[in-house]
Amino acid sequence: MKAPFALLLLPLLVLASGEAHADIAVIVHPGNPVSTLEPSHLSDLYLGRRRTFPDGKHATVLEQPRESALRRRFFQAVNGMSLIQVDTFWARLIFSGRVLPLHTPGDCARILSSVADTPDAIGYVDAALEKPGVKTVKLLPE
């Protein structure tokens, strides 16, 4: 009798844990010819290893705020890295003078707006958001 009751409580505990997760949409300007991105290319863009899209055109990589839960989920999905690992990696790159930090325009609404206004931009947002003026090139399941 205890097992069925515990099973009934499980969904409530998941909801009470606070964070409901949706997929993550990687977005670009609708005029960008890129229609999809390989996970390795996406990883390289967000770790500063590449600065271009697969077609060789410059990519302006837009980042979520440093402590954002979406950023944590993104790097875990794309690189299998925690935020501490990502921040340590970037600190070494910046200190060495090899790259500049990624541009962080703000929350999802600002990233959507920036990507819609910038032909060479790439960013990621919560997939549940309406995304007018941008094109989804990769969907990262939660």
Side-chain angles (χ1 to χ4, degrees):
M1 186 118 178
K2 289 182 182 180
F5 181 71
L7 291 176
L8 289 173
L9 285 178
L10 186 59
L12 293 174
L13 291 172
V14 170
L15 289 174
S17 69
E19 269 188 82
H21 299 297
D23 293 345
I24 300 168
V26 179
I27 57 171
V28 297
H29 188 274
N32 190 321
V34 172
S35 59
T36 188
L37 279 173
E38 292 296 320
S40 61
H41 197 102
L42 184 60
S43 172
D44 287 350
L45 282 169
Y46 276 89
L47 290 178
R49 294 179 182 141
R50 290 187 194 219
R51 295 184 181 134
T52 62
F53 288 106
D55 64 0
K57 293 185 179 167
H58 174 74
T60 298
V61 182
L62 304 178
E63 179 64 283
Q64 289 283 336
R66 190 165 182 250
E67 298 302 322
S68 135
L70 186 61
R71 182 173 181 254
R72 178 185 50 77
R73 292 176 24 230
F74 174 81
F75 278 103
Q76 187 63 47
V78 171
N79 307 89
M81 296 172 77
S82 70
L83 285 184
I84 291 171
Q85 292 170 312
V86 172
D87 290 343
T88 301
F89 178 87
W90 270 100
R92 275 188 258 133
L93 284 180
I94 293 166
F95 182 74
S96 72
R98 287 188 276 173
V99 296
L100 294 174
L102 299 178
H103 180 61
T104 307
D107 61 7
C108 287
R110 288 195 175 148
I111 287 180
L112 282 166
S113 175
S114 294
V115 170
D117 292 341
T118 311
D120 66 349
I122 182 170
Y124 59 92
V125 296
D126 188 318
L129 296 174
E130 187 175 336
K131 296 174 277 311
V134 300
K135 175 172 66 173
T136 300
V137 293
K138 188 78 175 165
L139 198 59
L140 302 170
E142 185 57 42

